[in-house]
Amino acid sequence: MSIVSIDRWLEGHPLVQELVALKETAWFNPAVQPAAVALADVGLTREDVADVSARLGRFAPYIARVFPQTEPVGGIIESPIQAVPRMQEAISTRYGLPLPGQLWLKLDSHLPISGSIKARGGIYEVLKHAEDLALAEGLLSTDDDYSKLDSDEVRAFFRQYRIAVGSTGNLGMSIGIMSATLGFDVTVHMSADARQWKKDKLRSHGVTVVEHASDYSVAVTEGRKQAEQDSACHFIDDENSTSLFLGYAVAAGRLKSQVADAGVVVDAEHPLFVYLPCGVGGGPGGVAFGLKLAFGDAVHCIFAEPTHSPCMLLGVYTGLHDEISVQDFGIDNITAADGLAVGRPSGFVGKAMQRLIDGYYTISDEEMYALLALLEQQEGIRLEPSALAGVPGIARILSADQEAYRQRLQLSAEALANATHLAWATGGSMVPDDEMAAYLAKGRAALGETAQ
Ligand SMILES: *Cc1c(COP(=O)(O)O)cnc(C)c1O
């Protein structure tokens, strides 16, 4: 991107100026269309998601066997939802704003195996690759009980194949642990922001971890390079993979059953707002695609990014998508929210989903820490910083600044009183105790400094 064009974006667009100044900001896209119109943009269908769901069902007996913690739920990797009324009250007080409706969390932080949203897409893509190879070799048929994959013979077969991925941490954890369990020879290219405990944990599973001194984009490029030179190596492409995307989308149909079981109504008069922390976009994009298929126009999806890494907001707002990075605008992509430390958005999510995502906002690291401590204080739930990005979403859309958005969507006071707000809590249950203690200490300090 040339300096001239950057200057042009800066001059004519106060929103871009705010992003560059690292201010918390929000943008609600006036080009959003009804699901019936815009779902066609995605190029993937309800049947594709059903196919993924069926494949995960076939693998369930295997998952239950190799990850015994999933046995009670039949080997299905899923997380609970939880209402957080005390947190809602505390946020209302913190922002000095009445917050009608009900705030819930989706606890992907507590997903088994890797403790983050990446246990959805990441694990799915590895399973799909394993199934393809085993079917082609005649080691497996789709009618089999897949727990037979837990054998030395099968592991020796997979050992001939390599898997590579670039990651800020959590994707590497999911792909690494799942691949190594199946028997694959797996390499994770970690960006500089990846936490040491994640690298240590992977190495203890026999995963090769390559540490890069630069950010996520470079880690991905290196992984891609490794795979290009090796026909037995499958590269998991977080920037472009539709398989990952579909793995995330399965969450929505399951969420539909969970909200129904909880007695929560979702329809035009009872809207559902879902706040999704966004890095490269595959996770939130895939979940949002599934949500639109499951709930249509009754669901409103909003993406949340760190003030230092607003790659999706910038890409969609400018229409330049993956042609630009936040660094092109002088934004450093340095954030404590390591799962969201991505400077350039996915090559397809922003384009495919832009007419289905209501809006985007940014949040400072300090606010993520403050909310991290507040959530632990109010509800006893411990999350990693990235996972807090969606929590203030309820206050963002209800703030006086967003009157135009609410009017455009014809959200009446009555509908807002009946609304459900779901913040996707994307990670944190596997953070080691000493690391969590440090997060909480930072959070309490941030809370103290900003108390009203
Ligand atoms: C990866 C990640 C996200 C965002 O997912 P993307 O696919 O990168 O957009 C959000 N939260 C956590 C904790 C993550 O690890």
Side-chain angles (χ1 to χ4, degrees):
M1 183 100 247
S2 77
I3 304 283
V4 180
S5 349
I6 301 271
D7 281 349
R8 202 162 46 85
W9 277 111
L10 276 172
E11 267 166 36
H13 301 85
L15 180 81
V16 177
Q17 289 168 15
E18 284 189 2
L19 290 175
V20 170
L22 305 175
K23 287 198 184 124
E24 288 190 339
T25 186
W27 177 61
F28 290 85
N29 189 351
V32 166
Q33 291 292 317
V37 175
L39 273 168
D41 296 355
V42 182
L44 297 164
T45 63
R46 193 177 295 280
E47 288 67 43
D48 293 322
V49 180
D51 176 57
V52 172
S53 199
R55 185 166 291 106
L56 290 171
R58 291 198 289 279
F59 271 98
Y62 170 76
I63 297 291
R65 179 152 169 163
V66 294
F67 300 112
Q69 71 270 36
T70 67
E71 218 199 308
V73 289
I76 294 294
I77 301 167
E78 197 39 76
S79 72
I81 54 172
Q82 183 177 331
V84 284
R86 287 180 297 273
M87 184 63 177
Q88 183 172 352
E89 186 77 46
I91 295 176
S92 174
T93 305
R94 179 169 179 79
Y95 300 131
L97 189 70
L99 298 177
Q102 268 214 317
L103 180 62
W104 292 69
L105 293 183
K106 175 64 172 164
L107 291 171
D108 272 13
S109 46
H110 291 66
L111 280 174
I113 305 173
S114 61
S116 83
I117 188 172
K118 304 295 194 312
R120 299 183 182 280
I123 286 178
Y124 171 69
E125 183 159 343
V126 175
L127 295 178
K128 167 140 191 357
H129 183 56
E131 187 187 58
D132 289 346
L133 290 171
L135 288 174
E137 184 72 9
L139 283 174
L140 188 68
S141 95
T142 52
D143 306 327
D144 285 346
D145 175 342
Y146 279 25
S147 57
K148 75 189 268 196
L149 295 174
D150 180 26
S151 82
D152 289 340
E153 183 204 354
V154 174
R155 276 183 289 273
F157 167 69
F158 286 138
R159 194 79 202 152
Q160 303 166 271
Y161 295 92
R162 281 164 291 287
I163 288 182
V165 66
S167 172
T168 62
N170 287 336
L171 185 63
M173 289 262 286
S174 298
I175 306 265
I177 294 171
M178 190 68 249
S179 304
T181 302
L182 281 157
F184 286 107
D185 177 355
V186 54
T187 302
V188 175
H189 294 265
M190 287 288 206
S191 58
D193 32 63
R195 313 296 301 168
Q196 188 59 43
W197 67 268
K198 293 180 184 172
K199 301 177 205 169
D200 295 344
K201 188 167 178 81
L202 283 175
R203 289 188 173 121
S204 78
H205 281 265
V207 174
T208 305
V209 177
V210 182
E211 300 181 51
H212 295 277
S214 29
D215 83 352
Y216 164 85
S217 302
V218 176
V220 172
T221 306
E222 289 303 314
R224 194 179 282 129
K225 238 191 250 165
Q226 179 199 346
E228 272 164 8
Q229 292 153 5
D230 176 358
S231 62
C233 182
H234 178 71
F235 173 62
I236 297 193
D237 189 344
D238 195 20
E239 292 177 327
N240 300 293
S241 168
T242 52
S243 186
L244 270 178
F245 183 86
L246 287 168
Y248 292 113
V250 169
R254 298 176 182 173
L255 177 73
K256 195 168 182 174
S257 309
Q258 289 181 319
V259 296
D261 289 349
V264 173
V265 179
V266 179
D267 59 25
E269 286 79 43
H270 303 78
L272 171 65
F273 294 88
V274 181
Y275 308 98
L276 293 149
C278 178
V280 71
V287 169
F289 174 58
L291 288 170
K292 282 291 173 183
L293 287 172
F295 296 102
D297 297 322
V299 70
H300 300 277
C301 301
I302 291 119
F303 284 7
E305 296 181 291
T307 48
H308 286 253
S309 310
C311 67
M312 188 60 77
L313 201 177
L314 203 53
V316 175
Y317 178 78
T318 59
L320 294 167
H321 300 288
D322 59 333
E323 288 166 48
I324 50 158
S325 69
V326 301
Q327 289 95 334
D328 290 337
F329 287 79
I331 302 171
D332 62 11
N333 188 33
I334 293 174
T335 168
D338 38 58
L340 312 180
V342 176
R344 187 185 300 275
S346 155
F348 87 97
V349 171
K351 287 172 220 167
M353 293 296 297
Q354 57 188 339
R355 298 201 299 169
L356 293 164
I357 307 300
D358 277 19
Y360 311 77
Y361 66 84
T362 60
I363 172 171
S364 71
D365 280 21
E366 194 184 28
E367 191 60 17
M368 283 185 257
Y369 275 124
L371 293 169
L372 186 153
L374 198 59
L375 185 66
E376 127 90 21
Q377 186 192 84
Q378 298 297 321
E379 307 276 355
I381 299 172
R382 297 176 165 204
L383 302 177
E384 64 184 271
S386 298
L388 276 304
V391 170
I394 179 173
R396 297 303 191 87
I397 72 140
L398 291 170
S399 84
D401 298 349
Q402 304 312 335
E403 181 62 30
Y405 162 66
R406 295 193 298 271
Q407 285 202 348
R408 179 154 51 74
L409 268 70
Q410 299 176 313
L411 292 164
S412 65
E414 203 184 343
L416 289 173
N418 292 331
T420 301
H421 299 263
L422 181 75
W424 213 277
T426 46
S429 68
M430 289 175 61
V431 174
D433 289 344
D434 55 340
E435 192 108 351
M436 184 54 74
Y439 284 157
L440 286 166
K442 270 197 185 163
R444 289 179 192 126
L447 263 187
E449 277 159 26
T450 54
Q452 294 178 353

